[in-house]
Amino acid sequence: LQITLSALAVCLGSIGSARTCRTLSSLAMYIIIVDFGFSSCWAACVKTIREYKEETRWSKEIGSLAMAARLGNAISFAFFAWLLHVSSGVDASWRLVYLASGAIQLIPLAMLTYFGRKGRDDIAIQVESNKAEEQNTTRSSPMVW
């Protein structure tokens, strides 16, 4: 997911840059990569829900995810429409939308990096604790000398 978010930030920023996105074919290539990235994030989120939530909660969690995505779309459309309106006097103001969108991708990337690392550390501590408990149980068994 971190790789996907990084790729999204780079592609959206590249679309916003006049240096890296000069032709219609390069714009199309970047948009295809961005759409592929967004699609792969959905699969990762659903897989995570299925792995870490009880089966009885799957539909509620996926529904909450879908609702959050729609709400995010509505807020994004309103924000970017406002941004276009404010920057309407600037040449190629549409590029500013992509630059802002690329910069915004850094927020979930930073959160995922911070909380993902913290979660991995918590899981590693739990695994070590389980191993130690298992070894203590094995040692105290009358069958093991």
Side-chain angles (χ1 to χ4, degrees), residues 57-93:
R57 297 201 35 95
W58 288 354
S59 60
K60 182 177 181 177
E61 297 295 332
I62 292 171
S64 296
L65 181 65
M67 183 183 68
R70 299 293 77 81
L71 181 62
N73 284 345
I75 292 169
S76 296
F77 282 125
F79 171 72
F80 290 129
W82 172 81
L83 189 60
L84 277 172
H85 175 71
V86 169
S87 65
S88 61
V90 179
D91 187 36
S93 62

Side-chain angles (χ1 to χ4, degrees), residues 125-140:
I125 290 169
Q126 182 64 34
V127 167
E128 289 299 320
S129 173
N130 290 346
K131 283 182 182 179
E133 185 177 311
E134 185 178 296
Q135 287 175 350
N136 289 338
T137 304
T138 305
R139 288 184 188 149
S140 65

Side-chain angles (χ1 to χ4, degrees), residues 6 12 19 23 27 35 46-47 54 75 78-79 81-82 84 88 91 99 118 120-121 130 132 136 141 144:
S6 299
L12 290 167
R19 291 183 185 163
T23 65
L27 175 65
D35 285 346
V46 171
K47 183 177 185 287
E54 299 170 8
I75 292 169
F79 171 72
W82 172 81
L84 277 172
S88 61
D91 187 36
L99 287 172
K118 184 178 179 197
R120 284 191 301 267
D121 292 344
N130 290 346
N136 289 338
S141 173
V144 178

Side-chain angles (χ1 to χ4, degrees), residues 1-144:
L1 196 53
Q2 289 171 319
I3 293 169
T4 303
L5 288 172
S6 299
L8 286 173
V10 168
C11 286
L12 290 167
S14 296
I15 292 172
S17 171
R19 291 183 185 163
T20 57
C21 188
R22 295 181 181 181
T23 65
L24 184 59
S25 59
S26 64
L27 175 65
M29 180 190 67
Y30 283 127
I31 288 178
I32 288 170
I33 293 169
V34 166
D35 285 346
F36 180 76
F38 283 133
S39 298
S40 69
C41 286
W42 268 102
C45 291
V46 171
K47 183 177 185 287
T48 302
I49 289 170
R50 291 184 60 114
E51 287 180 0
Y52 293 102
K53 296 292 182 179
E54 299 170 8
E55 188 173 354
T56 57
R57 297 201 35 95
W58 288 354
S59 60
K60 182 177 181 177
E61 297 295 332
I62 292 171
S64 296
L65 181 65
M67 183 183 68
R70 299 293 77 81
L71 181 62
N73 284 345
I75 292 169
S76 296
F77 282 125
F79 171 72
F80 290 129
W82 172 81
L83 189 60
L84 277 172
H85 175 71
V86 169
S87 65
S88 61
V90 179
D91 187 36
S93 62
W94 63 272
R95 291 186 183 272
L96 186 60
V97 170
Y98 286 100
L99 287 172
S101 183
I104 290 170
Q105 295 302 313
L106 299 177
I107 296 169
L109 179 62
M111 291 174 63
L112 182 63
T113 302
Y114 175 76
F115 291 111
R117 182 177 302 129
K118 184 178 179 197
R120 284 191 301 267
D121 292 344
D122 292 345
I123 290 170
I125 290 169
Q126 182 64 34
V127 167
E128 289 299 320
S129 173
N130 290 346
K131 283 182 182 179
E133 185 177 311
E134 185 178 296
Q135 287 175 350
N136 289 338
T137 304
T138 305
R139 288 184 188 149
S140 65
S141 173
M143 302 298 279
V144 178

